[in-house]
Amino acid sequence: MENLKLKKHHKLIVAADGGAASGKTTGAKKISKKYGLKFLSSGILYRFASYQLLKHKPKNKITFLKKIFNKLNLKKLNKINLHTAEISEHTSIIAKEKKVRVILKLFQRKFAKKFKKVCIEGRDIGTVILPKADIKFYFVCSLNIAAKRRFKELRKKDKNVKLFDVKKSLKIRNNRDKNRKNSPLIQSKDAVIVRTDKLKNIPGMMSKMSEIVEKKIKEKYGS
Ligand code: C5P
């Protein structure tokens, strides 16, 4: 690999999809950093929508969410704990609603249009949000590994968390995300699979992803 860099006028759209705790956030963040892409976690947007709905219980959810996402400052989101069990569960319920998804779709598309060199991760990025993405990654790993991975993260904040419960909730959430009518989690036909079962194999994952990114840069802009 040559460690190609994108130039100022270049455009590159990367979609990264996968189940809960499949390693997609780590992969997408690292590749974004390496190639100077603006990163967005769409899961965080859904989680924020859930957080706001739980907090304010508005009469009209859709009008309320439209307002929130019109003036959303992404930096603010880092300061809120959006990974509680309550929010995770509620998020995957509201994420089934078409009208909620439309609001977030507009937000994500505007983001891609504005920054031009972007990587968005989620469930429906390659299939619905950015179907013309230059590169699509689809992250896969076993439920056991995903649960261990998420358990380790959650344990840092909450010593009472149990692996059994984490695994159960990931399974429910993945089933809900895969089987819903609107924008289910499915692999786009043109997506490249990234397996992340081996917890320690981040360099391996990075070299596979980098190879694909560099091939695309060459294809679009020459060497
Ligand atoms: O990625 P993360 O686990 O933070 O996503 C939380 C939830 O948000 C998912 O379980 C899913 O229900 C919803 N989501 C979605 N579409 C996306 C991203 C997240 O439905 N593009």
Side-chain angles (χ1 to χ4, degrees):
M1 241 159 328
E2 302 164 34
N3 239 325
L4 291 179
K5 292 275 170 275
L6 283 160
K7 303 226 165 72
K8 211 172 168 205
H9 65 279
H10 288 173
K11 292 181 187 172
L12 194 78
I13 305 283
V14 179
D17 291 299
S22 59
K24 63 188 186 311
T25 309
T26 305
K29 268 189 181 163
K30 282 188 173 291
I31 213 75
S32 300
K33 190 156 185 231
K34 183 165 176 188
Y35 293 98
L37 310 172
K38 187 94 175 158
F39 168 80
L40 175 65
S41 155
S42 62
I44 289 294
L45 302 179
Y46 283 89
R47 287 173 182 274
F48 184 62
S50 155
Y51 166 84
Q52 291 290 352
L53 292 174
L54 289 169
K55 189 168 161 194
H56 297 285
K57 301 189 174 47
K59 273 204 189 108
N60 186 328
K61 276 193 293 193
I62 301 306
T63 322
F64 173 80
L65 288 178
K66 267 187 195 155
K67 265 192 212 146
I68 299 255
F69 280 91
N70 263 336
K71 55 169 194 209
L72 174 62
N73 173 358
L74 284 170
K75 283 192 187 119
K76 253 180 48 185
L77 301 192
N78 297 330
K79 297 190 183 113
I80 313 168
N81 178 8
L82 296 170
H83 285 86
T84 64
E86 187 193 17
I87 292 179
S88 298
E89 162 75 8
H90 181 248
T91 301
S92 67
I93 294 171
I94 61 155
K96 291 198 232 173
E97 291 183 39
K98 186 155 190 181
K99 286 184 176 166
V100 171
R101 301 200 73 86
V102 170
I103 298 171
L104 271 61
K105 176 167 81 181
L106 291 178
F107 186 92
Q108 293 169 78
R109 287 201 176 150
K110 261 196 224 158
F111 179 92
K113 209 168 167 194
K114 180 170 174 196
F115 294 107
K116 297 179 177 62
K117 289 188 266 283
V118 298
C119 174
I120 305 187
E121 61 95 336
R123 304 291 188 291
D124 60 341
I125 312 305
T127 49
V128 176
I129 305 296
L130 306 168
K132 292 189 182 140
D134 294 297
I135 299 165
K136 296 178 186 178
F137 291 116
Y138 190 78
F139 288 76
V140 183
C141 86
S142 71
L143 180 64
N144 272 335
I145 300 290
K148 278 187 195 151
R149 188 181 280 148
R150 182 51 52 89
F151 172 71
K152 265 173 104 182
E153 279 166 25
L154 294 173
R155 261 307 264 272
K156 288 181 201 153
K157 287 183 192 150
D158 176 3
K159 289 281 167 240
N160 296 321
V161 72
K162 305 254 180 327
L163 178 61
F164 176 83
D165 295 333
V166 174
K167 190 170 163 184
K168 193 171 145 200
S169 93
L170 286 185
K171 192 173 176 187
I172 294 174
R173 204 143 63 82
N174 278 338
N175 281 339
R176 207 175 269 151
D177 291 342
K178 283 180 181 165
N179 296 313
R180 70 182 171 219
K181 196 168 114 221
N182 299 310
S183 309
L185 167 65
I186 36 164
Q187 186 196 336
S188 178
K189 280 196 199 86
D190 47 352
V192 176
I193 291 196
V194 183
R195 286 214 70 100
T196 63
D197 292 282
K198 295 194 183 103
L199 276 172
K200 297 205 172 68
N201 194 14
I202 290 181
M205 171 181 80
M206 278 304 286
S207 87
K208 177 169 184 173
M209 293 176 79
S210 301
E211 212 170 283
I212 290 162
V213 170
E214 302 212 353
K215 194 170 153 228
K216 182 53 81 176
I217 299 177
K218 273 193 192 152
E219 209 178 287
K220 284 186 86 171
Y221 299 110
S223 54

